Amino acid sequence: SDDSTGLYSVTYVRLGNELNGRIQKASIRFILGEIQEKDYWEEYRIWYESGGKEVIEEYTEAYEQKLRNLSME
């Protein structure tokens, strides 16, 4: 099952397409050998600083809340 089902991130709703596109493009380019590993990690850094960090934090908080709610049932 997908543990992210039912979780919400304001930042992902706002920037998800842009963030996904950036990291997917970098991943594909790295796999195809078009960029080096250091270039991939630079793209990751940009992704992280452009909203990725907030997405991770928001989903982490939502997941922890989901676990707390489940433990109360």
Side-chain angles (χ1 to χ4, degrees), residues 10-72:
V10 172
T11 304
Y12 186 79
V13 169
R14 188 169 46 88
L15 299 174
N17 287 337
E18 177 183 332
L19 292 171
N20 284 346
R22 172 174 289 283
I23 204 66
Q24 287 174 354
K25 182 177 178 182
S27 297
I28 291 168
R29 292 184 68 214
F30 177 68
I31 291 166
L32 294 176
E34 295 176 2
I35 62 173
Q36 300 296 314
E37 184 176 359
K38 68 178 180 55
D39 302 316
Y40 172 83
W41 287 113
E42 176 62 16
E43 287 297 320
Y44 176 85
R45 182 191 65 75
I46 294 168
W47 172 88
Y48 187 81
E49 292 176 356
S50 299
K53 178 183 180 199
E54 288 81 5
V55 170
I56 292 168
E57 290 170 349
E58 291 166 6
Y59 274 127
T60 299
E61 176 56 34
Y63 181 69
E64 289 171 351
Q65 183 62 48
K66 181 179 179 178
L67 291 178
R68 285 190 293 271
N69 292 343
L70 288 174
S71 71
M72 296 179 156

